[in-house]
Amino acid sequence: MDTIDAIILGIIQGLTEFLPVSSSGHLELGKAILGDHSVPEESLLFTVVLHFATALSTIVIFRKDIFDIIKGILKFQWNEDMQFLSKIVISMIPAVAVGLFFEEQLEALFGGNILLVGAMLIVTAALLFLADKAKDTNKKVTFSNAFVIGVSQAIAMLPGISRSGATISTSVLLGNDKTKAARFSFLMVVPLIFGKIAKDVLSGDISMESQNFTALSIGFVAAFVAGLFACTWMIALVKKSKLSYFAIYCVIAGLIAITVSFLN
């Protein structure tokens, strides 16, 4: 993988991790378009680096919220911050279960299956259209909501289903405040990303030999900067009910992907 490819894939990851257009689906499309023939170890390490960059950008954007939550937790009381953390843990259960019991089946779907990516992008578009029409409220995410949103996050492990799109849409359709829905969606994924990174590193599947560390570093910076921009932009878009624009994009991208899959 050369420097230009690293920059392009880094920007794709940074933007699509937060914008509701599926980061995994776009990475699969990006690799297919760029002709990424990296060995599995190199491809896995690069993916891990990009996900770490976007997780870090989330922490930077929500640093005040995270600091306040940590302060609240350290009071060792059943306060709002402890309840919020509990909801985050509950939301992680479905994705952790799917990751543990269906890891091989999931990995088999990430082999350039452009038809699946296209179909799931259209599913994402449908969710965004529905969420954009929902009325805004002041309701907070409840414990039962957290689990349902977690189920949507688990489903979003499929390439082409946007994690942010699925979780924010689910939360909004459950009647939650759009800003609170976006905040919960972005914070709930941080522990999962770090958990997945730790699992990949400890598994021994990642090889550090013969790596292009320049490309890795550039990809990291590109994903981090793009993530900062996309996260901030997405919060504003959710407030203004502008998700339908991304729904249209997902439909177009999905149809193109399906067409390309049949032509190949």
Side-chain angles (χ1 to χ4, degrees), residues 88-104:
I88 293 290
V89 173
I90 291 172
S91 73
M92 292 168 57
I93 294 174
V96 170
V98 170
L100 288 175
F101 297 108
F102 300 99
E103 182 178 14
E104 292 184 3

Side-chain angles (χ1 to χ4, degrees), residues 143-177:
F143 287 96
S144 59
N145 288 166
F147 184 78
V148 176
I149 296 168
V151 171
S152 69
Q153 178 168 248
I155 295 173
M157 295 171 77
L158 293 170
I161 295 287
S162 164
R163 192 208 65 81
S164 63
T167 53
I168 292 174
S169 295
T170 299
S171 185
V172 170
L173 291 172
L174 288 170
N176 294 307
D177 174 80

Side-chain angles (χ1 to χ4, degrees), residues 4-121:
I4 299 300
D5 288 354
I7 293 174
I8 293 173
L9 292 176
I11 292 174
I12 290 174
Q13 170 63 26
L15 291 177
T16 58
E17 180 65 38
F18 299 102
L19 300 181
V21 292
S22 178
S23 61
S24 60
H26 277 72
L27 278 176
E28 288 298 302
L29 293 174
K31 289 178 181 179
I33 293 171
L34 294 172
D36 177 25
H37 302 298
S38 304
V39 295
E41 292 82 1
E42 180 183 348
S43 183
L44 177 58
L45 177 59
F46 189 72
T47 300
V48 166
V49 168
L50 296 189
H51 277 92
F52 177 72
T54 50
L56 190 60
S57 66
T58 306
I59 292 173
V60 170
I61 294 294
F62 290 99
R63 59 191 180 278
K64 184 180 183 301
D65 300 74
I66 294 172
F67 184 65
D68 289 341
I69 291 170
I70 293 173
K71 285 196 302 181
I73 293 171
L74 293 177
K75 292 178 181 178
F76 300 104
Q77 299 173 355
W78 188 242
N79 52 29
E80 187 174 345
D81 295 307
M82 185 63 79
Q83 291 176 36
F84 186 84
L85 177 63
S86 300
K87 293 171 187 176
I88 293 290
V89 173
I90 291 172
S91 73
M92 292 168 57
I93 294 174
V96 170
V98 170
L100 288 175
F101 297 108
F102 300 99
E103 182 178 14
E104 292 184 3
Q105 291 86 341
L106 277 173
E107 289 179 351
L109 298 175
F110 286 83
N113 191 339
I114 306 303
L115 177 60
L116 175 63
V117 171
M120 293 302 100
L121 280 170

